[in-house]
Amino acid sequence: MASPAVLMRLVASAYSVAEKAAAIVRKVMAGGDLGIVEKCGANDLQTKADRLVQMSICSSLSRKFPKLTIIGEEDLPSYDVDEELIENGQYEEILKKTCPPQYSTIKEEELVVWVDPLDGTKEYTEGLLDHVTVLIGIAYGGKAIAGIINQPYYNYEAGADAVLGRTIWGVLGLGAFGFQLKEVPDGKHIIITTRSHSSKMVNDCIGAMNPDTVVRVGGAGNKVIHLIEGKASAYVFASPGCKKWDTCAPEAILHAVGGKLTDIHGNSLHYNKEVKHMNSAGVLATLRNFDYYASRVPDSVKQALVP
Ligand code: AMP
Ligand code: MG
Ligand code: MG
């Protein structure tokens, strides 16, 4: 058999790297010293877990795939990585799948990897552990085409017998795996949004959508998991603040199951390496009925959020 396509080898490695990352996230929390640093005020934090996980993911992937462009959230001084942080494994189940033909000849140097080592840091520091995810997004030609979301504390309240943590992954044209796809019942409008980065505009935009329920949780990864598991119908964030590493992996997984993630105007996000990191025009995402939510965004919100 021909050797697997670069994309599938990268996804298989990133899966294992994300599992190692989750173990680091849990170990730092169990150790009790989070080493919290304020990057830009109390609502933009970095912990020892953010730092160690970024080193682990970036170093592990760049050793195996030296020509990749990898962009991580954290600004770290140059470092000698501890060998304990390196993960060499690859998830064999992914290598058994056939790469979608349109991606089978992609070269390593054409891929851009967006890494959020710990999404939901604020919630991590507050003990809302199942809001936390590790995000590895893969882009080609400016488009999010594959992603891995690890949820290190999935099941943490389900009792000692439950398996702790899970990894969800997806590739455009192949599908997404590691969870049960579900839709919100009865066409209810359940809007999911930020809990720690709210504003009048964020709330006005949600209000205009006629919500039955508003769910406020941390993390972009966590919110997209709610969409694909039928726990929320739209992720609405009418504010700057969310970055490309927050949206790349979740977008790829959502798109792989037929959903849509864009800015608040309905414009696609771009993930080429030169792109501005900030998603200045907010985020709008759904599994189904995207047009309904897009049509409800007030003009005043659109005018205030310039891409
Ligand atoms: P949230 O929904 O508030 O958890 O935000 C999703 C992602 O976007 C997280 O990684 C946040 O850190 C980031 N984010 C959103 N708004 C802001 C902001 N105002 N400042 C810094 N980061 C933000
Ligand atoms: Mg994040
Ligand atoms: Mg982060």
Side-chain angles (χ1 to χ4, degrees), residues 166-196:
R166 64 170 165 175
T167 309
I168 293 171
W169 68 278
V171 177
L172 272 192
L174 188 62
F177 309 88
F179 68 101
Q180 280 278 315
L181 185 68
K182 267 200 198 145
E183 289 183 28
V184 170
D186 311 329
K188 275 205 160 42
H189 298 307
I190 305 173
I191 310 274
I192 194 158
T193 193
T194 183
R195 64 175 280 281
S196 63

PDB file of all heavy atoms in Angstrom, residues 166-196:
ATOM      1  N   ARG A 166     -11.518  13.110  26.142  1.00  0.00           N
ATOM      2  CA  ARG A 166     -11.802  12.548  24.814  1.00  0.00           C
ATOM      3  C   ARG A 166     -11.178  13.435  23.745  1.00  0.00           C
ATOM      4  O   ARG A 166     -10.857  14.590  23.985  1.00  0.00           O
ATOM      5  CB  ARG A 166     -13.309  12.431  24.570  1.00  0.00           C
ATOM      6  CG  ARG A 166     -14.006  13.780  24.540  1.00  0.00           C
ATOM      7  CD  ARG A 166     -15.437  13.628  24.045  1.00  0.00           C
ATOM      8  NE  ARG A 166     -16.214  14.823  24.343  1.00  0.00           N
ATOM      9  CZ  ARG A 166     -17.464  15.020  23.944  1.00  0.00           C
ATOM     10  NH1 ARG A 166     -18.092  14.083  23.256  1.00  0.00           N
ATOM     11  NH2 ARG A 166     -18.100  16.131  24.252  1.00  0.00           N
ATOM     12  N   THR A 167     -11.031  12.824  22.565  1.00  0.00           N
ATOM     13  CA  THR A 167     -10.468  13.551  21.432  1.00  0.00           C
ATOM     14  C   THR A 167     -11.437  13.462  20.258  1.00  0.00           C
ATOM     15  O   THR A 167     -11.824  12.372  19.854  1.00  0.00           O
ATOM     16  CB  THR A 167      -9.103  12.957  21.026  1.00  0.00           C
ATOM     17  OG1 THR A 167      -8.288  12.864  22.186  1.00  0.00           O
ATOM     18  CG2 THR A 167      -8.409  13.835  19.999  1.00  0.00           C
ATOM     19  N   ILE A 168     -11.812  14.617  19.757  1.00  0.00           N
ATOM     20  CA  ILE A 168     -12.692  14.716  18.595  1.00  0.00           C
ATOM     21  C   ILE A 168     -11.813  15.180  17.429  1.00  0.00           C
ATOM     22  O   ILE A 168     -10.974  16.061  17.614  1.00  0.00           O
ATOM     23  CB  ILE A 168     -13.811  15.743  18.890  1.00  0.00           C
ATOM     24  CG1 ILE A 168     -14.730  15.205  20.006  1.00  0.00           C
ATOM     25  CG2 ILE A 168     -14.610  16.080  17.632  1.00  0.00           C
ATOM     26  CD1 ILE A 168     -15.729  16.218  20.536  1.00  0.00           C
ATOM     27  N   TRP A 169     -11.970  14.584  16.265  1.00  0.00           N
ATOM     28  CA  TRP A 169     -11.158  15.024  15.126  1.00  0.00           C
ATOM     29  C   TRP A 169     -11.989  14.983  13.854  1.00  0.00           C
ATOM     30  O   TRP A 169     -13.000  14.273  13.786  1.00  0.00           O
ATOM     31  CB  TRP A 169      -9.900  14.155  14.984  1.00  0.00           C
ATOM     32  CG  TRP A 169     -10.156  12.732  14.582  1.00  0.00           C
ATOM     33  CD1 TRP A 169     -10.529  11.694  15.399  1.00  0.00           C
ATOM     34  CD2 TRP A 169     -10.097  12.191  13.257  1.00  0.00           C
ATOM     35  NE1 TRP A 169     -10.693  10.548  14.671  1.00  0.00           N
ATOM     36  CE2 TRP A 169     -10.429  10.816  13.348  1.00  0.00           C
ATOM     37  CE3 TRP A 169      -9.784  12.714  12.003  1.00  0.00           C
ATOM     38  CZ2 TRP A 169     -10.458   9.968  12.243  1.00  0.00           C
ATOM     39  CZ3 TRP A 169      -9.804  11.873  10.895  1.00  0.00           C
ATOM     40  CH2 TRP A 169     -10.141  10.514  11.023  1.00  0.00           C
ATOM     41  N   GLY A 170     -11.561  15.741  12.871  1.00  0.00           N
ATOM     42  CA  GLY A 170     -12.295  15.756  11.616  1.00  0.00           C
ATOM     43  C   GLY A 170     -11.450  16.271  10.475  1.00  0.00           C
ATOM     44  O   GLY A 170     -10.463  16.988  10.683  1.00  0.00           O
ATOM     45  N   VAL A 171     -11.826  15.854   9.274  1.00  0.00           N
ATOM     46  CA  VAL A 171     -11.185  16.319   8.041  1.00  0.00           C
ATOM     47  C   VAL A 171     -12.314  16.639   7.051  1.00  0.00           C
ATOM     48  O   VAL A 171     -13.244  15.843   6.896  1.00  0.00           O
ATOM     49  CB  VAL A 171     -10.255  15.231   7.436  1.00  0.00           C
ATOM     50  CG1 VAL A 171      -9.659  15.696   6.112  1.00  0.00           C
ATOM     51  CG2 VAL A 171      -9.144  14.842   8.415  1.00  0.00           C
ATOM     52  N   LEU A 172     -12.240  17.774   6.407  1.00  0.00           N
ATOM     53  CA  LEU A 172     -13.239  18.132   5.389  1.00  0.00           C
ATOM     54  C   LEU A 172     -13.277  17.058   4.320  1.00  0.00           C
ATOM     55  O   LEU A 172     -12.235  16.615   3.844  1.00  0.00           O
ATOM     56  CB  LEU A 172     -12.848  19.441   4.696  1.00  0.00           C
ATOM     57  CG  LEU A 172     -13.293  20.763   5.289  1.00  0.00           C
ATOM     58  CD1 LEU A 172     -13.044  21.867   4.260  1.00  0.00           C
ATOM     59  CD2 LEU A 172     -14.738  20.736   5.696  1.00  0.00           C
ATOM     60  N   GLY A 173     -14.468  16.640   3.972  1.00  0.00           N
ATOM     61  CA  GLY A 173     -14.593  15.624   2.922  1.00  0.00           C
ATOM     62  C   GLY A 173     -14.514  14.207   3.460  1.00  0.00           C
ATOM     63  O   GLY A 173     -14.728  13.241   2.727  1.00  0.00           O
ATOM     64  N   LEU A 174     -14.190  14.071   4.741  1.00  0.00           N
ATOM     65  CA  LEU A 174     -14.082  12.733   5.348  1.00  0.00           C
ATOM     66  C   LEU A 174     -15.090  12.574   6.493  1.00  0.00           C
ATOM     67  O   LEU A 174     -15.668  11.516   6.703  1.00  0.00           O
ATOM     68  CB  LEU A 174     -12.644  12.548   5.876  1.00  0.00           C
ATOM     69  CG  LEU A 174     -12.235  11.184   6.386  1.00  0.00           C
ATOM     70  CD1 LEU A 174     -12.315  10.144   5.272  1.00  0.00           C
ATOM     71  CD2 LEU A 174     -10.792  11.242   6.914  1.00  0.00           C
ATOM     72  N   GLY A 175     -15.307  13.657   7.249  1.00  0.00           N
ATOM     73  CA  GLY A 175     -16.242  13.605   8.375  1.00  0.00           C
ATOM     74  C   GLY A 175     -15.534  13.904   9.677  1.00  0.00           C
ATOM     75  O   GLY A 175     -14.346  14.246   9.689  1.00  0.00           O
ATOM     76  N   ALA A 176     -16.286  13.787  10.780  1.00  0.00           N
ATOM     77  CA  ALA A 176     -15.713  14.045  12.099  1.00  0.00           C
ATOM     78  C   ALA A 176     -16.071  12.892  13.023  1.00  0.00           C
ATOM     79  O   ALA A 176     -17.130  12.272  12.886  1.00  0.00           O
ATOM     80  CB  ALA A 176     -16.210  15.377  12.648  1.00  0.00           C
ATOM     81  N   PHE A 177     -15.179  12.604  13.962  1.00  0.00           N
ATOM     82  CA  PHE A 177     -15.223  11.373  14.745  1.00  0.00           C
ATOM     83  C   PHE A 177     -14.936  11.656  16.218  1.00  0.00           C
ATOM     84  O   PHE A 177     -14.362  12.682  16.563  1.00  0.00           O
ATOM     85  CB  PHE A 177     -14.181  10.389  14.184  1.00  0.00           C
ATOM     86  CG  PHE A 177     -14.310  10.212  12.688  1.00  0.00           C
ATOM     87  CD1 PHE A 177     -13.634  11.062  11.803  1.00  0.00           C
ATOM     88  CD2 PHE A 177     -15.147   9.243  12.165  1.00  0.00           C
ATOM     89  CE1 PHE A 177     -13.783  10.935  10.428  1.00  0.00           C
ATOM     90  CE2 PHE A 177     -15.293   9.097  10.777  1.00  0.00           C
ATOM     91  CZ  PHE A 177     -14.613   9.946   9.914  1.00  0.00           C
ATOM     92  N   GLY A 178     -15.358  10.712  17.075  1.00  0.00           N
ATOM     93  CA  GLY A 178     -15.053  10.839  18.503  1.00  0.00           C
ATOM     94  C   GLY A 178     -16.199  11.422  19.313  1.00  0.00           C
ATOM     95  O   GLY A 178     -16.027  11.783  20.474  1.00  0.00           O
ATOM     96  N   PHE A 179     -17.392  11.515  18.706  1.00  0.00           N
ATOM     97  CA  PHE A 179     -18.579  12.034  19.405  1.00  0.00           C
ATOM     98  C   PHE A 179     -19.799  11.562  18.611  1.00  0.00           C
ATOM     99  O   PHE A 179     -19.666  11.014  17.526  1.00  0.00           O
ATOM    100  CB  PHE A 179     -18.538  13.573  19.443  1.00  0.00           C
ATOM    101  CG  PHE A 179     -18.714  14.174  18.072  1.00  0.00           C
ATOM    102  CD1 PHE A 179     -19.942  14.701  17.684  1.00  0.00           C
ATOM    103  CD2 PHE A 179     -17.681  14.140  17.148  1.00  0.00           C
ATOM    104  CE1 PHE A 179     -20.123  15.200  16.395  1.00  0.00           C
ATOM    105  CE2 PHE A 179     -17.863  14.634  15.858  1.00  0.00           C
ATOM    106  CZ  PHE A 179     -19.080  15.167  15.486  1.00  0.00           C
ATOM    107  N   GLN A 180     -20.986  11.800  19.171  1.00  0.00           N
ATOM    108  CA  GLN A 180     -22.241  11.459  18.506  1.00  0.00           C
ATOM    109  C   GLN A 180     -22.876  12.718  17.952  1.00  0.00           C
ATOM    110  O   GLN A 180     -23.264  13.605  18.725  1.00  0.00           O
ATOM    111  CB  GLN A 180     -23.210  10.864  19.537  1.00  0.00           C
ATOM    112  CG  GLN A 180     -22.945   9.412  19.861  1.00  0.00           C
ATOM    113  CD  GLN A 180     -23.569   8.507  18.814  1.00  0.00           C
ATOM    114  OE1 GLN A 180     -24.715   8.701  18.417  1.00  0.00           O
ATOM    115  NE2 GLN A 180     -22.792   7.532  18.352  1.00  0.00           N
ATOM    116  N   LEU A 181     -23.000  12.816  16.650  1.00  0.00           N
ATOM    117  CA  LEU A 181     -23.611  14.001  16.037  1.00  0.00           C
ATOM    118  C   LEU A 181     -25.104  14.043  16.372  1.00  0.00           C
ATOM    119  O   LEU A 181     -25.815  13.061  16.194  1.00  0.00           O
ATOM    120  CB  LEU A 181     -23.430  13.944  14.524  1.00  0.00           C
ATOM    121  CG  LEU A 181     -23.905  15.169  13.749  1.00  0.00           C
ATOM    122  CD1 LEU A 181     -23.032  16.383  14.041  1.00  0.00           C
ATOM    123  CD2 LEU A 181     -23.907  14.898  12.243  1.00  0.00           C
ATOM    124  N   LYS A 182     -25.556  15.202  16.879  1.00  0.00           N
ATOM    125  CA  LYS A 182     -26.980  15.368  17.230  1.00  0.00           C
ATOM    126  C   LYS A 182     -27.424  16.771  16.882  1.00  0.00           C
ATOM    127  O   LYS A 182     -26.624  17.698  16.890  1.00  0.00           O
ATOM    128  CB  LYS A 182     -27.161  15.197  18.741  1.00  0.00           C
ATOM    129  CG  LYS A 182     -27.498  13.805  19.167  1.00  0.00           C
ATOM    130  CD  LYS A 182     -28.134  13.838  20.550  1.00  0.00           C
ATOM    131  CE  LYS A 182     -28.079  12.466  21.174  1.00  0.00           C
ATOM    132  NZ  LYS A 182     -27.868  12.536  22.605  1.00  0.00           N
ATOM    133  N   GLU A 183     -28.723  16.922  16.639  1.00  0.00           N
ATOM    134  CA  GLU A 183     -29.273  18.263  16.385  1.00  0.00           C
ATOM    135  C   GLU A 183     -30.134  18.685  17.565  1.00  0.00           C
ATOM    136  O   GLU A 183     -30.713  17.835  18.249  1.00  0.00           O
ATOM    137  CB  GLU A 183     -30.126  18.239  15.124  1.00  0.00           C
ATOM    138  CG  GLU A 183     -29.287  18.074  13.873  1.00  0.00           C
ATOM    139  CD  GLU A 183     -30.115  18.131  12.598  1.00  0.00           C
ATOM    140  OE1 GLU A 183     -31.170  18.792  12.585  1.00  0.00           O
ATOM    141  OE2 GLU A 183     -29.682  17.504  11.615  1.00  0.00           O
ATOM    142  N   VAL A 184     -30.264  19.976  17.767  1.00  0.00           N
ATOM    143  CA  VAL A 184     -31.153  20.502  18.810  1.00  0.00           C
ATOM    144  C   VAL A 184     -32.586  20.102  18.455  1.00  0.00           C
ATOM    145  O   VAL A 184     -33.011  20.284  17.325  1.00  0.00           O
ATOM    146  CB  VAL A 184     -31.022  22.040  18.879  1.00  0.00           C
ATOM    147  CG1 VAL A 184     -32.097  22.641  19.755  1.00  0.00           C
ATOM    148  CG2 VAL A 184     -29.641  22.422  19.381  1.00  0.00           C
ATOM    149  N   PRO A 185     -33.339  19.546  19.406  1.00  0.00           N
ATOM    150  CA  PRO A 185     -34.705  19.123  19.095  1.00  0.00           C
ATOM    151  C   PRO A 185     -35.657  20.307  18.897  1.00  0.00           C
ATOM    152  O   PRO A 185     -35.429  21.393  19.428  1.00  0.00           O
ATOM    153  CB  PRO A 185     -35.106  18.295  20.327  1.00  0.00           C
ATOM    154  CG  PRO A 185     -34.151  18.652  21.400  1.00  0.00           C
ATOM    155  CD  PRO A 185     -32.928  19.234  20.764  1.00  0.00           C
ATOM    156  N   ASP A 186     -36.707  20.085  18.152  1.00  0.00           N
ATOM    157  CA  ASP A 186     -37.852  21.013  18.020  1.00  0.00           C
ATOM    158  C   ASP A 186     -37.499  22.388  17.479  1.00  0.00           C
ATOM    159  O   ASP A 186     -38.221  23.342  17.759  1.00  0.00           O
ATOM    160  CB  ASP A 186     -38.547  21.247  19.387  1.00  0.00           C
ATOM    161  CG  ASP A 186     -38.851  19.956  20.102  1.00  0.00           C
ATOM    162  OD1 ASP A 186     -39.085  18.973  19.388  1.00  0.00           O
ATOM    163  OD2 ASP A 186     -38.833  19.946  21.339  1.00  0.00           O
ATOM    164  N   GLY A 187     -36.417  22.527  16.760  1.00  0.00           N
ATOM    165  CA  GLY A 187     -36.073  23.837  16.201  1.00  0.00           C
ATOM    166  C   GLY A 187     -35.949  24.936  17.235  1.00  0.00           C
ATOM    167  O   GLY A 187     -36.197  26.111  16.950  1.00  0.00           O
ATOM    168  N   LYS A 188     -35.613  24.581  18.461  1.00  0.00           N
ATOM    169  CA  LYS A 188     -35.447  25.600  19.507  1.00  0.00           C
ATOM    170  C   LYS A 188     -34.218  26.462  19.228  1.00  0.00           C
ATOM    171  O   LYS A 188     -33.225  25.972  18.709  1.00  0.00           O
ATOM    172  CB  LYS A 188     -35.259  24.909  20.861  1.00  0.00           C
ATOM    173  CG  LYS A 188     -36.540  24.535  21.553  1.00  0.00           C
ATOM    174  CD  LYS A 188     -36.291  24.452  23.053  1.00  0.00           C
ATOM    175  CE  LYS A 188     -37.546  24.553  23.883  1.00  0.00           C
ATOM    176  NZ  LYS A 188     -38.688  23.824  23.383  1.00  0.00           N
ATOM    177  N   HIS A 189     -34.289  27.742  19.597  1.00  0.00           N
ATOM    178  CA  HIS A 189     -33.151  28.641  19.430  1.00  0.00           C
ATOM    179  C   HIS A 189     -32.351  28.689  20.730  1.00  0.00           C
ATOM    180  O   HIS A 189     -32.639  29.491  21.618  1.00  0.00           O
ATOM    181  CB  HIS A 189     -33.616  30.042  19.041  1.00  0.00           C
ATOM    182  CG  HIS A 189     -34.340  30.082  17.734  1.00  0.00           C
ATOM    183  ND1 HIS A 189     -33.807  29.554  16.571  1.00  0.00           N
ATOM    184  CD2 HIS A 189     -35.547  30.572  17.393  1.00  0.00           C
ATOM    185  CE1 HIS A 189     -34.667  29.724  15.590  1.00  0.00           C
ATOM    186  NE2 HIS A 189     -35.730  30.332  16.059  1.00  0.00           N
ATOM    187  N   ILE A 190     -31.393  27.808  20.835  1.00  0.00           N
ATOM    188  CA  ILE A 190     -30.517  27.809  22.015  1.00  0.00           C
ATOM    189  C   ILE A 190     -29.203  28.466  21.601  1.00  0.00           C
ATOM    190  O   ILE A 190     -28.453  27.917  20.789  1.00  0.00           O
ATOM    191  CB  ILE A 190     -30.258  26.370  22.526  1.00  0.00           C
ATOM    192  CG1 ILE A 190     -31.577  25.660  22.799  1.00  0.00           C
ATOM    193  CG2 ILE A 190     -29.368  26.410  23.774  1.00  0.00           C
ATOM    194  CD1 ILE A 190     -31.426  24.191  23.146  1.00  0.00           C
ATOM    195  N   ILE A 191     -28.961  29.665  22.136  1.00  0.00           N
ATOM    196  CA  ILE A 191     -27.757  30.414  21.742  1.00  0.00           C
ATOM    197  C   ILE A 191     -26.677  30.172  22.787  1.00  0.00           C
ATOM    198  O   ILE A 191     -26.926  30.291  24.001  1.00  0.00           O
ATOM    199  CB  ILE A 191     -28.042  31.929  21.691  1.00  0.00           C
ATOM    200  CG1 ILE A 191     -29.294  32.226  20.868  1.00  0.00           C
ATOM    201  CG2 ILE A 191     -26.814  32.686  21.199  1.00  0.00           C
ATOM    202  CD1 ILE A 191     -29.113  32.358  19.413  1.00  0.00           C
ATOM    203  N   ILE A 192     -25.474  29.875  22.292  1.00  0.00           N
ATOM    204  CA  ILE A 192     -24.338  29.686  23.198  1.00  0.00           C
ATOM    205  C   ILE A 192     -23.345  30.816  22.965  1.00  0.00           C
ATOM    206  O   ILE A 192     -23.107  31.225  21.830  1.00  0.00           O
ATOM    207  CB  ILE A 192     -23.735  28.269  23.028  1.00  0.00           C
ATOM    208  CG1 ILE A 192     -22.797  27.944  24.186  1.00  0.00           C
ATOM    209  CG2 ILE A 192     -23.042  28.090  21.691  1.00  0.00           C
ATOM    210  CD1 ILE A 192     -22.584  26.466  24.399  1.00  0.00           C
ATOM    211  N   THR A 193     -22.808  31.333  24.057  1.00  0.00           N
ATOM    212  CA  THR A 193     -21.904  32.472  23.933  1.00  0.00           C
ATOM    213  C   THR A 193     -20.897  32.492  25.083  1.00  0.00           C
ATOM    214  O   THR A 193     -20.867  31.578  25.917  1.00  0.00           O
ATOM    215  CB  THR A 193     -22.711  33.795  23.851  1.00  0.00           C
ATOM    216  OG1 THR A 193     -21.844  34.847  23.435  1.00  0.00           O
ATOM    217  CG2 THR A 193     -23.349  34.158  25.190  1.00  0.00           C
ATOM    218  N   THR A 194     -20.086  33.548  25.095  1.00  0.00           N
ATOM    219  CA  THR A 194     -19.043  33.708  26.107  1.00  0.00           C
ATOM    220  C   THR A 194     -19.631  33.850  27.518  1.00  0.00           C
ATOM    221  O   THR A 194     -20.746  34.329  27.679  1.00  0.00           O
ATOM    222  CB  THR A 194     -18.204  34.967  25.772  1.00  0.00           C
ATOM    223  OG1 THR A 194     -17.158  35.103  26.701  1.00  0.00           O
ATOM    224  CG2 THR A 194     -19.055  36.242  25.797  1.00  0.00           C
ATOM    225  N   ARG A 195     -18.884  33.459  28.525  1.00  0.00           N
ATOM    226  CA  ARG A 195     -19.287  33.784  29.896  1.00  0.00           C
ATOM    227  C   ARG A 195     -18.377  34.847  30.486  1.00  0.00           C
ATOM    228  O   ARG A 195     -18.771  35.547  31.404  1.00  0.00           O
ATOM    229  CB  ARG A 195     -19.338  32.549  30.804  1.00  0.00           C
ATOM    230  CG  ARG A 195     -18.014  31.861  31.029  1.00  0.00           C
ATOM    231  CD  ARG A 195     -18.132  30.721  32.027  1.00  0.00           C
ATOM    232  NE  ARG A 195     -18.138  31.207  33.390  1.00  0.00           N
ATOM    233  CZ  ARG A 195     -17.050  31.566  34.060  1.00  0.00           C
ATOM    234  NH1 ARG A 195     -15.861  31.532  33.482  1.00  0.00           N
ATOM    235  NH2 ARG A 195     -17.142  31.967  35.309  1.00  0.00           N
ATOM    236  N   SER A 196     -17.164  35.009  29.945  1.00  0.00           N
ATOM    237  CA  SER A 196     -16.228  35.936  30.604  1.00  0.00           C
ATOM    238  C   SER A 196     -15.825  37.119  29.726  1.00  0.00           C
ATOM    239  O   SER A 196     -15.071  37.971  30.162  1.00  0.00           O
ATOM    240  CB  SER A 196     -14.987  35.181  31.066  1.00  0.00           C
ATOM    241  OG  SER A 196     -14.298  34.643  29.968  1.00  0.00           O
TER     242      SER A 196
END
